[in-house]
Amino acid sequence: MRRYIAILLALLVLAGCGTKTEPPPETDLIVIGMCQVGAESDWRVANSESMKTVFTEENGYRLLFDDARQKQENQISAVRKFIQQQVDYIVLMPISETGWDSVLQEAKGAGIPVILVDRMADVEDESLYAAHVGSNFLEEGRRAAAWMEETFREKAGPVRIIHIHGTLGSTAQLGRTTALEEAVAAHEDWELLAQLDGDFTQAKTYEVMTDHLSALSEGETIDVVYCENDNIAFGAIQALEERGYTCGPGGVEIITFDATRGALAECLEGRISLAVECDPLLGPLVEEVIQAMEAGQVPAKHQYPEEQLFTAADLSEALLAERAY
Ligand code: GYE
C-alpha cells in the first residue's frame, strides 16, 4: 500500500492533479493481491470475472490479479510477491488443501490478512486466515448421493457407477469424493466400477474416459457417471456418445457439479440428469468480509453461498437466458 501511495502521489503531482475539479486521489484504494488457481473450467472463469467486477477502482479497490496456471508453486510465489508489495489483503483460492502453513505464516508476520476463497487450506493454526468464503463440497456431494438413492430406489440389480474426480487434494475434490464413497459404502448394491482423474477439465476427462470405455467389454452397462464438475461432464458425455451410449435420464445418468449455463442447457436437453449448483459469484461475499474488516469487525470464519439442485423439470429456456454464469 505505502509504495502505491507514494507512486500515486507522484503521478498526481506530475499530472497537476489535486485541484477541486479532479477526481479524489486514489490513495484510499484498498489494495488486494489475488491468487487465482487458473482458468481450468467455466466455473473458474466465472469466479475470476466476479472478482474483477467487484474489485474495481470505482468501488475503491486496486486488484492485483495473479493466475497460477494450475500450479501451487506459482500460487506460493504470488503470495510472497504480494507480501513484498505490502498489499492490504491477500485473497487466495488454494489449488490444494495442504502446503500453506509457512507462506501464510509469512503473510501473518507481515500483518496482511488472508481471505481464503472457494477452496480451503488445511493449516494447523486457524489464525493464519481471517475468513473463508466458499461452498460446502461435502454437502453438495451428499445431496447428489441422496438424489441417486431416490432415483435408483426401485432398480433391480446393482447400480454401476463411474466416478471422475477433479484435481486431487483440492477441497472440491475431497468433499465430493468423500460423499460418493460414503454413499457407496452404505449401499450394498452400488458398485464403483472406476475412479478416473479428470482434473476438472474437459480435455483430460475425454481422454481418460475414452481409454476406459475402450477397455470395457461389449455390452457392459453403466448406470451413473458422477462428474465432479461441468467440464468433466462435458468430456464424459463426448466420450460416452462416441461409443454409442445414451446419456441422460433413463440412460447413463450424468451427475455434475457447478451448474453453469452450459451444463444447465445439457440438462434441459436431456443429456445431464442432475446438476448440483456451486456458486462461483463470490466477489460480493468477499467484499463483505473486507468491508467488515475495514470497519474493525471480525468477519464470520466461514461463509457458504446458498445453492440448489437442478433436473430438467426445474429448468426452462427463460431461466437459462437469465443465468449469470
Ligand atoms: O467445481 C470446478 C473448478 O473449486 C468449486 O473448481 C471449485 C471447483 C469447481 O475448476 O469447476
Side-chain angles (χ1 to χ4, degrees), residues 35-38 66-75 78:
C35 309
Q36 179 59 286
V37 170
D66 185 273
D67 175 336
R69 300 186 310 283
Q70 296 266 79
K71 291 213 160 58
Q72 185 172 26
E73 69 246 39
N74 291 346
Q75 288 202 302

Side-chain angles (χ1 to χ4, degrees), residues 217-272:
S217 32
E218 191 75 18
E220 274 207 55
T221 57
I222 302 166
D223 295 302
V224 185
V225 182
Y226 182 94
C227 304
E228 288 191 1
N229 81 343
D230 289 347
N231 297 83
I232 288 181
F234 302 150
I237 292 171
Q238 200 186 344
L240 283 159
E241 289 188 339
E242 272 183 24
R243 313 263 330 163
Y245 289 89
T246 305
C247 298
V252 181
E253 310 270 352
I254 306 287
I255 295 178
T256 187
F257 295 85
D258 287 353
T260 53
R261 197 186 303 108
L264 293 184
E266 294 286 332
C267 192
L268 186 61
E269 278 177 23
R271 274 192 211 88
I272 287 179

Side-chain angles (χ1 to χ4, degrees), residues 40-41 43-44 118-119 137 172 176 200 229 258 278:
E40 75 284 3
S41 65
W43 188 99
R44 186 68 53 200
D118 161 24
R119 305 173 181 174
F137 304 113
R176 292 167 186 167
F200 286 133
N229 81 343
D258 287 353
C278 178

Side-chain angles (χ1 to χ4, degrees), residues 4 22 62 73 77 79-81 86 95 111 126 148 152 165 181 184 191 195 218 280 293 296 303 320:
Y4 281 96
E22 296 301 331
R62 177 174 301 273
E73 69 246 39
S77 313
V79 173
R80 295 216 162 102
K81 183 182 71 196
Q86 299 182 344
I95 183 161
E126 283 218 335
M148 279 170 66
F152 293 105
H165 60 73
E181 289 176 347
V184 169
E191 276 178 21
Q195 292 187 290
E218 191 75 18
M293 293 176 76
Q303 296 197 43
L320 285 191

